[in-house]
Amino acid sequence: MSTTGATADPLAALGSLPGVAESVESVRKAVDRVYGHRIMRRRSNEITSEAALRGARGSGALSGADWALEEVRRRTDFSGDDEARTMGAALRLTAEAGQLLSVWRQSPLRVLARLHLVAAASDSDEVGRPRQEGEQVDEPLVELELPSAADVSGRLDGLSELIIAGSSAPALVTAAVVHGELLALRPFASHNGLVARTAARIVLVGSGLDPKSVCPPEVGHAELGRAAYLAALDGYVSGTPEGMAAWIAHCGRAVELGARESTAVCEALQRGAA
């Protein structure tokens, strides 16, 4: 996303794209339904914990570790093969996200560096900082042209400035831009998809749209499928109004499906089945 031009609040301008207002309203209604459930008044911590687990499972699936929920729930060792390490990274990021809400609005780049450090769980030199020119990126599921390190630096600075300045844009729009920009840039040597989805979740929670983090969009993205996810991302990268609107709508639908998942968990708890 270009952050230059005459528009003082480019994020807010995206909110006026055709269909975006409808997506924003649909998301708000879906989130309100979860928060209005009677179980949320008594057992919200359980819903939050379950949403975190399901969100991590969904994010891991999009990064190539498509495990059954019960497998994620029962496993304790995530140090084995690549899939296990990916799922472990997703779980660590979900746990870390809640600790970074207060830092995000003041220093988003610091948060992104921390997320990568947590995901990689390594002391390698490339961990916790944007990649440098010539460094390889391990992100096989996103096959878009890779921006140069110089472009990454400039666009990360622009994104950071937008977040720090604040915007009147709906949370969905801001989260979708953060998510899409990080996927397009792949600023780190690894784990970019996991970091991008976690950053988007931080926006949704920190904005007050989903303060208890019970509407995991990662669940929805996984349910919609990797092919649809990447097709929508192509729209974001195109930079066209239609492509941007389609990406925002896709992200909105993912939030709605995450909300539906947690509503189902509420219903199960109410029936005493979970």
Side-chain angles (χ1 to χ4, degrees):
M1 175 188 177
S2 173
T3 59
T4 60
T7 304
D9 189 349
L11 293 176
L14 293 176
S16 64
L17 291 175
V20 171
E22 290 82 357
S23 293
V24 168
E25 180 61 21
S26 185
V27 165
R28 169 54 67 188
K29 289 179 178 177
V31 173
D32 285 348
R33 279 193 292 273
V34 180
Y35 279 84
H37 199 286
R38 64 175 62 186
I39 288 292
M40 279 293 293
R41 292 194 291 271
R42 295 184 286 111
R43 302 173 71 175
S44 64
N45 288 342
E46 292 175 68
I47 307 302
T48 296
S49 295
E50 188 63 21
L53 184 71
R54 295 178 185 226
R57 193 218 73 83
S59 193
L62 290 166
S63 287
D66 194 1
W67 290 11
L69 180 62
E70 292 310 313
E71 176 68 6
V72 180
R73 198 188 302 280
R74 75 168 188 83
R75 285 284 287 267
T76 56
D77 180 10
F78 295 93
S79 62
D81 57 17
D82 287 346
E83 287 193 10
R85 287 190 290 272
T86 294
M87 190 57 69
L91 289 164
R92 290 193 300 273
L93 286 173
T94 299
E96 185 73 12
Q99 311 302 313
L100 299 172
L101 295 172
S102 63
V103 184
W104 174 255
R105 284 295 299 272
Q106 285 73 44
S107 185
L109 297 185
R110 178 180 162 197
V111 169
L112 294 175
R114 174 63 184 169
L115 291 176
H116 187 244
L117 186 68
V118 168
S122 165
D123 57 3
S124 297
D125 176 63
E126 70 272 11
V127 170
R129 62 158 175 79
R131 57 185 167 83
Q132 298 173 358
E133 209 64 60
E135 289 182 336
Q136 298 299 308
V137 175
D138 181 15
E139 200 68 45
L141 301 177
V142 179
E143 297 178 348
L144 298 168
E145 182 179 353
L146 194 67
S148 70
D151 285 344
V152 167
S153 178
R155 286 172 64 174
L156 280 179
D157 285 344
L159 183 64
S160 176
E161 289 168 7
L162 287 177
I163 299 301
I164 293 170
S167 173
S168 62
L172 171 65
V173 172
T174 303
V177 168
V178 168
H179 188 166
E181 193 72 354
L182 293 175
L183 283 178
L185 293 177
R186 281 144 294 158
F188 301 108
S190 62
H191 300 92
N192 289 288
L194 295 173
V195 168
R197 290 184 287 276
T198 305
R201 174 81 84 90
I202 288 173
V203 173
L204 295 173
V205 174
S207 68
L209 175 64
D210 180 19
K212 294 183 183 295
S213 195
V214 296
C215 303
E218 304 94 332
V219 168
H221 284 301
E223 183 174 336
L224 292 167
R226 194 179 302 155
Y229 184 63
L230 296 177
L233 178 62
D234 283 343
Y236 176 86
V237 173
S238 76
T240 65
E242 297 80 9
M244 296 290 286
W247 169 249
I248 293 168
H250 188 85
C251 290
R253 182 59 181 151
V255 177
E256 291 179 53
L257 291 171
R260 186 182 71 179
E261 183 92 350
S262 285
T263 300
V265 172
C266 287
E267 295 291 336
L269 287 172
Q270 185 166 280
R271 294 191 305 268

